[in-house]
Amino acid sequence: MIFNSIDFAIFLPIVFIIYWIFKNSLKKQNLIIVIASYVFYGWWDWRFLSLIFLSSIVDFSIGLKLKKENSEINRKALLWTSIAINLGALGFFKYYNFFFDNFVHIFSFFGNDISVNSLNIILPVGISFYTFQTLSYTIDVYKRRLEPTKDFITFSAFVSFFPQLVAGPIERATHLLPQFYKERSFEYNLTVDGLRQILWGLFKKIVIADNCAEYANWIFNHSDHASGSTLILGALFFTFQIYGDFSGYSDIAIGTSRLFGFDLMKNFAFPYFSRDIAEFWRRWHISLSTWFRDYLYIPLGGSKGGTLNKVKNTFIIFIVSGFWHGANWTFIAWGALNAIYFLPLLLRNKNRRHIEIVAYNKSLPSFKDLFNIGITFSLTVFAWVFFRAENINHAFNYISSIFSKSILSIPKYSGAHSSIIIVIITIAFIIIEWIGRNEEFAIANLGTKWNRFFRWLFYYILIFCIFYFTGKEQEFIYFQF
Amino acid sequence: MKRFILHTTLFLTPIILIFILLELYACLPETTFNQKANYINKRNDFSTLILGSSHNQKAFNPEYIDKKAVNLAFGFQDYELDSALFNKYLSKLKRLKYLVLEIDYHSLEYCNHPEYFRYGWYYYYHNINLTNLPLYYRFSLYISSPNFFNKKIKKQKLAIFNQHINKYGFITSNNFKTEYFSKKRYDLEKIVKSAKKRFEKKHISEISTDNFTKNSQILEKIIETCVEKNIIPILVSTPLHKSFYVLKNKKKDLRRKELINKLLLKYNSLKYLDLENDSRFNTPDFSDEDHLNVTGSIKTTSILNKTLNTIP
């Protein structure tokens, strides 16, 4: 089931009503969440429910054993069992064909042709997300940062919690699991806030992302014959597509959890207003960046040690992060490119210059901030070309075609005329995001002090745009990861 | 909670009202699709059922058929949909004696994509669900294809609703906005020039065996059912304009003809009406290269009527 579907529009109110009918029974509420989550996931393909169940049962059992076990060797063995099972499933479903195909290529390169076909493996939706979430539980229990739960229903609810099951935010057990133990009471303001965030997420996904996707897809699919200016526009369309798509999904996920009294971590904090790449990575897909920081970068030694160690760890974390996104060299190149962007800041100790949001408590940025935002945004757009390209050759051809004489020509692409309205709406969207950049999400406070007529009118306009600009439905990009 | 329920209800009321209006916009106006569905659902005394794509849709007006006939042919209706409609109405139409099926140049080569938007219409009007559509599509036409209706609203293109449709769901007026040949003033020279372009755009594709095999099997299954139920199947190749006829791919055409011959040999009761290159049809009978206009439809219907009357 996807968030921007009628199925979900029917499913959500039903679960919401049943859930709050049992407001006096925490156990029943958790059980409702488990059932709802399994229905939500099974709607896509019920066969893969077994993977979530297996992941839940393995980590639940290992968690309990880790609590009882005192021997460090046995504890380590338990931890590695969990890692092997979780990453084994992820590796098989997501990376088997990648390694297999590359293995065959290498052999062919040395003159040994292997005539075997790769397997037709379906990638289970969200496997990269829930695998990392359950791993965080086992690692935290192993590190004694968290008491393991003895309640399997609660643990299953934590693993399969439907708002964030298939595309995050990747929650840390230390943050989400305790919320399942606490009694939850219905709060009007929290619920309305959740609905507002859902609305904004749908706007980002349906109006911005899906419409930008149409033009981005066309330009990337016809990049061989497109002018430099058209290709730049294609990369820009993709830049807003991926942001609208993924941050829109996160907004819907966070908003939906609020309806059930849960607080999920912030996943995006207006990343395109970043003044350097380090800031961008603190604001983009925060739950993944912090996961890698806590469970990979710091255990590797982080930024401690000599320059060589810093360089090595930075490349490892960015390349692994790229590879997490997909089994393709393009994602690895995208990760490596970001490492190259990031390293100069780290080596000069300038990676934590911009912690606060730009122009905090001001209306407009300074000229220097604006310049830095422009540079960072351009670097990001450039890197997205690798992320979106079909393969490395496509990415290089795309980039080399940008830097030609045709860079100064008028962009030409299918639907150029009708895209003007989408460009105008995207500009309006950027302005709203700028106004609301100090908040949890862009419209968290927008209009809250207006009288009801104007506030509701604003929401109706957003709803109208969602219906009016419903284009060809595009799947959430991050579902494939 | 009470406050939340009250405010949510108040907030959603206008949205629900607008949705109801959209639904009414989608399902209320008389269209050729809903007219046909209503017509067949109201009666069960038909002896002739016509299926097929837009070619048969535009070729046969039940008004001019002596026997009680219903034409359920519609644009992009492939054999799978034909078969589903036939099986759906078979038990209802106890007096059904003739089944008219299309076997045109494209018929065996074409299969709808699983996401074809009109599947929802077949579910809504005929209760035929070929692609596991959700249950709510059965109750809302707008939800089944919002993009289609939104586009209609955006463009304010209500032409489809303005066409004159008779009680059989047949369009009885030439709609000059879509009648391609009338725009060319039936000038043969201009038509031949542009026909090639249109043909390349619409009909040139790789010769795939998948669609052909699938469609051949469905077609034969329909004929077998007809034979079992004592219904006479009639295959029809509708007239093609000469500018189109000469462009046909020979391989595709040959395998279609081979199949027709094979079926005619195998099933004695099967009839074949080949009007594809019939000299009685001239440029003013066509709305474009492969669709007849109202004048042309009167001719084809009269030919079919004669055929039906000669079958004992």
Side-chain angles (χ1 to χ4, degrees), chain B residues 265-284:
Chain B
L265 278 174
K266 194 170 171 185
Y267 301 99
N268 287 333
S269 61
L270 180 66
K271 312 283 176 219
Y272 178 48
L273 192 58
D274 184 4
L275 304 175
E276 204 161 84
N277 196 23
D278 196 304
S279 57
R280 286 170 285 185
F281 294 88
N282 302 306
T283 306

Side-chain angles (χ1 to χ4, degrees), chain A residues 202-216:
Chain A
L202 285 171
F203 178 84
K204 280 180 180 179
K205 163 66 184 157
I206 296 170
V207 181
I208 303 296
D210 286 358
N211 283 288
C212 285
E214 275 194 39
Y215 306 112

Side-chain angles (χ1 to χ4, degrees), chain A residues 99-116:
Chain A
F99 284 114
F100 183 85
D101 291 343
N102 279 285
F103 180 74
V104 171
H105 270 118
I106 291 167
F107 262 74
S108 307
F109 183 76
F110 289 110
N112 301 312
D113 279 340
I114 305 173
S115 58
V116 276

Side-chain angles (χ1 to χ4, degrees), chain B residues 2-234:
Chain B
K2 275 181 191 167
R3 188 174 154 218
F4 177 75
I5 293 169
L6 177 71
H7 284 178
T8 311
T9 312
L10 278 175
F11 183 80
L12 290 179
T13 303
I15 295 170
I16 292 166
L17 282 175
I18 289 170
F19 175 76
I20 291 169
L21 287 176
L22 287 170
E23 184 58 31
L24 292 175
Y25 171 82
C27 69
L28 269 192
E30 267 185 11
T31 65
T32 175
F33 198 94
N34 66 23
Q35 274 289 90
K36 285 170 185 219
N38 293 339
Y39 187 55
I40 195 165
N41 282 316
K42 270 185 208 158
R43 302 173 61 156
N44 51 16
D45 56 350
F46 300 106
S47 66
T48 309
L49 173 63
I50 301 163
L51 295 171
S53 74
S54 54
H55 291 190
N56 270 8
Q57 180 194 356
K58 293 196 169 186
F60 303 114
N61 181 354
E63 198 177 343
Y64 302 116
I65 298 174
D66 298 335
K67 298 181 191 302
K68 279 185 179 160
V70 57
N71 183 351
L72 289 187
F74 200 80
F76 295 98
Q77 190 168 290
D78 58 13
Y79 280 129
E80 200 174 17
L81 280 166
D82 279 348
S83 168
L85 284 166
F86 176 56
N87 290 320
K88 159 87 188 163
Y89 290 109
L90 189 60
S91 54
K92 180 177 147 57
L93 306 178
K94 304 276 184 212
R95 295 183 195 174
L96 189 65
K97 218 177 155 191
Y98 310 100
L99 177 71
V100 180
L101 290 159
E102 184 181 294
I103 187 145
D104 283 348
Y105 172 66
H106 74 285
S107 307
L108 293 156
E109 312 290 337
Y110 179 76
C111 287
N112 278 314
H113 191 269
E115 284 169 18
Y116 175 51
F117 75 96
R118 281 203 191 99
Y119 278 130
W121 298 18
Y122 286 91
Y123 192 24
Y124 183 82
Y125 285 112
H126 296 288
N127 197 12
I128 288 171
N129 188 357
L130 287 182
T131 49
N132 276 329
L133 295 170
L135 184 66
Y136 50 77
Y137 278 37
R138 180 86 182 94
F139 307 103
S140 168
L141 189 63
Y142 176 77
I143 281 181
S144 75
S145 34
N147 288 347
F148 175 83
F149 292 108
N150 285 356
K151 263 187 194 170
K152 284 252 166 278
I153 296 167
K154 279 180 207 174
K155 293 182 180 175
Q156 295 186 324
K157 241 187 183 177
L158 299 170
I160 192 167
F161 304 137
N162 295 336
Q163 290 161 331
H164 188 261
I165 301 163
N166 66 16
K167 67 172 182 177
Y168 310 93
F170 189 87
I171 302 167
T172 53
S173 60
N174 282 335
N175 178 356
F176 291 104
K177 276 185 183 170
T178 54
E179 300 273 308
Y180 181 64
F181 277 16
S182 65
K183 278 192 225 163
K184 306 259 169 206
R185 296 174 190 276
Y186 302 108
D187 182 331
L188 192 60
E189 214 172 292
K190 282 184 188 170
I191 285 167
V192 171
K193 255 188 192 174
S194 58
K196 204 177 167 193
K197 264 190 185 174
R198 277 170 64 88
F199 185 85
E200 278 170 3
K201 201 175 167 189
K202 282 176 71 181
H203 293 282
I204 289 195
S205 57
E206 278 182 31
I207 299 176
S208 123
T209 48
D210 293 354
N211 287 354
F212 183 84
T213 313
K214 185 184 167 189
N215 283 325
S216 307
Q217 285 166 352
I218 297 172
L219 178 63
E220 190 160 358
K221 185 88 187 84
I222 299 174
I223 295 169
E224 269 174 16
T225 313
C226 284
V227 173
E228 266 173 37
K229 305 277 177 189
N230 285 326
I231 296 163
I232 296 166
I234 303 165

Side-chain angles (χ1 to χ4, degrees), chain A residues 5-7 10 16 20 186 188-189 191-192 195 199 452 456 459-460 463 467-473, chain B residues 1 3-4 6-8 10-15 19 22 115 134 136-137 142-143 146-147 150 153-154:
Chain A
S5 67
I6 304 281
D7 305 57
I10 296 168
F16 178 81
W20 286 114
F186 180 84
Y188 177 86
N189 287 336
T191 310
V192 171
L195 287 174
L199 179 62
R452 185 176 296 160
W456 283 20
Y459 302 145
Y460 285 135
I463 292 169
F467 280 99
Y468 192 78
F469 291 103
T470 296
K472 202 178 168 194
E473 190 182 290
Chain B
M1 186 61 117
R3 188 174 154 218
F4 177 75
L6 177 71
H7 284 178
T8 311
L10 278 175
F11 183 80
L12 290 179
T13 303
I15 295 170
F19 175 76
L22 287 170
E115 284 169 18
Y136 50 77
Y137 278 37
Y142 176 77
I143 281 181
N147 288 347
N150 285 356
I153 296 167
K154 279 180 207 174

